[in-house]
Amino acid sequence: MPRRGLRGGLLKFIRPDDLEQIRFAVLEVLSEVGILMEYRPALELLADHGAKVDWKTSVVRLPEGLVQRALVTAPSRFTLYGKTPEYDVKVDLDRVYTIGGSCALSVLDLDGQHRLAVRQDLVDLTRLLEEMPHLDIMHQIVVPSDVPELGYELVNFATCYSISKRNYYSQAQSAESVRDQIRMAAVYQGSEEAVRDRPTFSEVVCMVSPCKHEKQNSEVLMESARHGIPLYIEVDSLCGATTPAPIAGTLVEEGATVIAGVVLAQLVNPGTPCIFSIASGILDMANGAYSGAAPETALIHAGTAQVAHRFGLPYQGGTGIDAKLPDAQAGYERALQVLTNILAGTNFVHLSYGMMEQMLLASYEQVVIDEEIMGAAFRIAQGFDVNDYTLSVDMLARVGALGKHFLTQRETRDFYRKDRWQPTITNRDPWDTWQAAGGKDMRQYANERARAILAEEKPWAVDQEQAAEIERLCQEGVRKAQERRQAM
Amino acid sequence: MTDSSGEILQSMAQAVIDGEAERVRELARRALEQGIEPMRAINEGLIPGISEVGRRFERKEYFLPELMMAADAMKKGMEVLEAALTAGGGKRESQGTVVLGTVKGDIHDIGKSIVGTLLSAHGFNVIDLGVDVSADRFIENIVNNNADVLGMSALLPTTMPYMKRVVDELVSRGLRQRVKVIVGGAPVTPEYARQIGADAYGDDAISAVHVVQQLLGLAN
């Protein structure tokens, strides 16, 4: 059985008529302001299809008709394949899933040490994430400091892809890297054709606000689309700095920058799955830092869900939190952020496992705590049913009038198991009981749980022979990337 | 109009505090018309203004937008007053020349630009090379402008190592002693700055200004 997420979307901040105005503004920016695209083949393809290119400034303007045609071929539902059918993710505009990651430089390890991440951390954190029930898509949570800068994404691919059965959220520094990744996936899937038919990984391309598509990103986008690899077309705006300070203006900039990428992908290969993605935050005006956990950031992410869906595209939102330790700040930041995103119908809640300190730090303990928060948040989003059975008038007639309780009723026993979320590391005991059990706080419970998970050696998703072949291809790819750099 | 010189200088300081660039420029012109020495207009008009902005920023009454707008206003006033200084055969002692840029492979602009604006407001001659800057371009500009400081920024873990490449290149070309190197950007740490042989690390834009002043022995 594939994974079919809960439906979100109850929470809407934008009224329908205001949403139309945002859509018009996005179309106006695309057709009259334009997008700066550095990659010449992208400009040429767009120009061939009616876009107006200023060849001197590399700014491309996209008429509405071109945009609409692309939005027709961009699917609103598709499958992101896992290595086995139970990890297939059925994507549409309503269902909500989660993604791990991404790209922290340091870890807060289980001994409480803050240090640079190494490849072993990527292995351990990926193994830990793989055991989190609410995680749907795997992504590299750290960039190890002990791997080469060129081709690091191939090392991360080889590591995470080999461990995890989930669809892998990858990234690439070049078109060659995309092809190297297809080769690695083919080791598991049997052939490159099988990878193109049912890709077990996707690529993210991160555009630059305001309104800029950098060369490398267009190159990776076009190569991925050519092979039918699903794309997260992402913009990481910094509200008040790289996008306008009003949230509405930020939504417009995001819309224009992302949709331009969608148009390009659809021209290369109509039907390529494109996910409207953001990892935006506000600029903290006191220290100039990115804040992923600010309440305004949550509003940006909830609002963008409506914008993406208005354009008929699945949507990735979510971001890291700002706390440095798994403390009270971390708890409130993550809870508000995740709940807002899930309720808003963010189809992929990203960066929501263990990512702290403006996305620079990954905490083992916070991964486990975030799973707990995710469970509670999804339970709230699930809501409750109102029907003849749940209205319970018959039961009230049977029990209520007699002044009895409901605990011994068959309906109670049958219903609560389906209806109640059971916490795992949340403590609801009274003081004395809690003290008698060691008086531990949540961080200690999380630490024990993480250690227990990591102590248990589970088989990787690929067998040893495949893992060795994937690693060999990875090292070959890294070596070629170095040679290409030297040849430049 | 018969503004006394004291009033003009006070208005100029206030206009810097308010981030009113056009008004600062206009007041600078008026000050010159009234025969106020350019050096005095800088020291008693612009500098008290920007200093007050710095104090308000530290007290969290002002935030980055006010700070940046004040720095822009300061720069506008400076252009007028420095032109008059040069025309009169004088010259304002530059605090030093800083070559600034985001390293090759990295296209993140905003943090580095904030640093540049604040450095110019504090009297430095800033040569901002933009983003995706190669070691050769950094070095060419350091040599041609006889720069005192090189400031490098990186926002990506994957581009950060390029800062080391630039430092190594400076060493191999025998230029390392000629220029102080300061590095910054979200993933950069003081330890990393030490590891790659930089002289200093700037935690944010304000501290970058302090650090550059310290490196050049200008801190008071």
Side-chain angles (χ1 to χ4, degrees), chain A residues 38 103 105 116 143 149-150 152 173 208 212 214 216-217 238 240-242 283-289 357-358 360 485 488, chain B residues 57 60 62-65 104-108 110 114 131-132 156-162 165 186-188 195 203-205:
Chain A
E38 294 179 342
C103 296
L105 294 181
L116 282 177
V143 174
E149 141 219 359
L150 261 181
Y152 80 93
Q173 295 188 72
V208 182
K212 184 172 170 186
E214 200 215 345
Q216 174 190 306
N217 288 325
L238 207 45
T242 65
L283 182 82
D284 183 298
M285 293 299 184
N287 66 2
E357 196 207 352
Q358 292 92 33
L360 294 167
R485 167 67 63 88
M488 265 165 71
Chain B
F57 185 80
K60 294 206 172 190
Y62 267 17
F63 293 90
L64 275 175
K104 190 158 183 55
D106 203 324
I107 34 65
H108 293 90
I110 181 89
I114 296 174
V131 299
D132 196 20
L156 301 175
T158 51
T159 55
M160 209 166 65
Y162 196 83
R165 212 161 126 177
V188 183
Q195 269 175 36
D203 192 38
D204 56 38

Side-chain angles (χ1 to χ4, degrees), chain A residues 166-183:
Chain A
R166 291 167 166 87
N167 185 278
Y168 181 57
Y169 180 112
S170 190
Q171 61 190 108
Q173 295 188 72
S174 63
E176 287 88 349
S177 173
V178 175
R179 293 196 290 273
D180 288 340
Q181 293 174 32
I182 292 172
R183 252 173 243 130

Side-chain angles (χ1 to χ4, degrees), chain A residues 99-118:
Chain A
I99 308 171
S102 152
C103 296
L105 294 181
S106 299
V107 294
L108 192 59
D109 69 21
L110 289 169
D111 298 323
Q113 293 299 311
H114 177 277
R115 54 177 174 75
L116 282 177
V118 293

Side-chain angles (χ1 to χ4, degrees), chain A residues 108-110 326 363-370 443 446-447 450:
Chain A
L108 192 59
D109 69 21
L110 289 169
S363 157
Y364 284 77
E365 290 156 345
Q366 191 67 36
V367 167
V368 178
I369 294 170
D370 287 339
R443 189 174 169 186
N447 192 294

Side-chain angles (χ1 to χ4, degrees), chain A residues 99-139:
Chain A
I99 308 171
S102 152
C103 296
L105 294 181
S106 299
V107 294
L108 192 59
D109 69 21
L110 289 169
D111 298 323
Q113 293 299 311
H114 177 277
R115 54 177 174 75
L116 282 177
V118 293
R119 193 169 178 187
Q120 189 59 45
D121 290 305
L122 182 64
V123 171
D124 290 342
L125 282 163
T126 303
R127 286 178 53 223
L128 184 60
L129 282 163
E130 183 72 355
E131 296 308 313
M132 298 295 116
H134 284 93
L135 183 76
D136 297 295
I137 303 287
M138 186 61 80
H139 181 32

